[in-house]
Amino acid sequence: QVQLMESGGGLVQPGGSLRLSCVVSGISGSIRNMGWYRQAPGKQREMVAFIARAGGTNVADVLRGRFFITRDDAKNTVYLQMNKLKPEDTAVYFCNVYVKTSRDEMSDYWGQGTQVTVSS
């Protein structure tokens, strides 16, 4: 049973910071890319950032410089550090991971999401 458990969301004032965590459990195989997406009310889900197995990262252009993604493979955990938060960052943030389940197969998994609200 694969589980992705996000945590760290909450209410923060504009300019504040939050750190999201996602712990992956129950997998068979090796975790490859790990990432974060978000979905604001009335909007489609959008990519926030992802990080590859070797540590290479990509962050959405509009978020680069404020958002940072890291991973701890010993803990099967991916983090999203969010700084200088703006009201438009308000969304449900979802963890997403890709797992190599066999030599020629890859599977992806999603967490339930954690709410981030930026408001004064």
Side-chain angles (χ1 to χ4, degrees), residues 51-87:
I51 182 167
R53 178 175 55 84
T57 64
N58 190 58
V59 180
D61 289 344
V62 297
L63 303 177
R64 196 171 299 131
R66 294 195 298 121
F67 285 28
F68 302 88
I69 186 169
T70 56
R71 65 191 287 167
D72 186 340
D73 289 329
K75 299 179 179 179
N76 282 355
T77 301
V78 61
Y79 305 93
L80 182 68
Q81 179 68 46
M82 305 183 293
N83 299 322
K84 299 179 179 179
L85 284 161
K86 305 175 180 180

Side-chain angles (χ1 to χ4, degrees), residues 3-58:
Q3 286 193 28
L4 279 64
M5 299 183 63
E6 302 105 330
S7 62
L11 175 64
V12 64
Q13 292 186 337
S17 297
L18 286 174
R19 189 193 194 197
L20 306 183
S21 300
C22 174
V23 180
V24 183
S25 63
I27 62 166
S28 60
S30 61
I31 300 176
R32 296 305 176 93
N33 284 6
M34 309 177 76
W36 292 91
Y37 289 71
R38 69 184 185 183
Q39 188 166 18
K43 302 291 186 179
Q44 287 195 320
R45 189 173 299 182
E46 63 179 351
M47 190 273 291
V48 174
F50 66 84
I51 182 167
R53 178 175 55 84
T57 64
N58 190 58

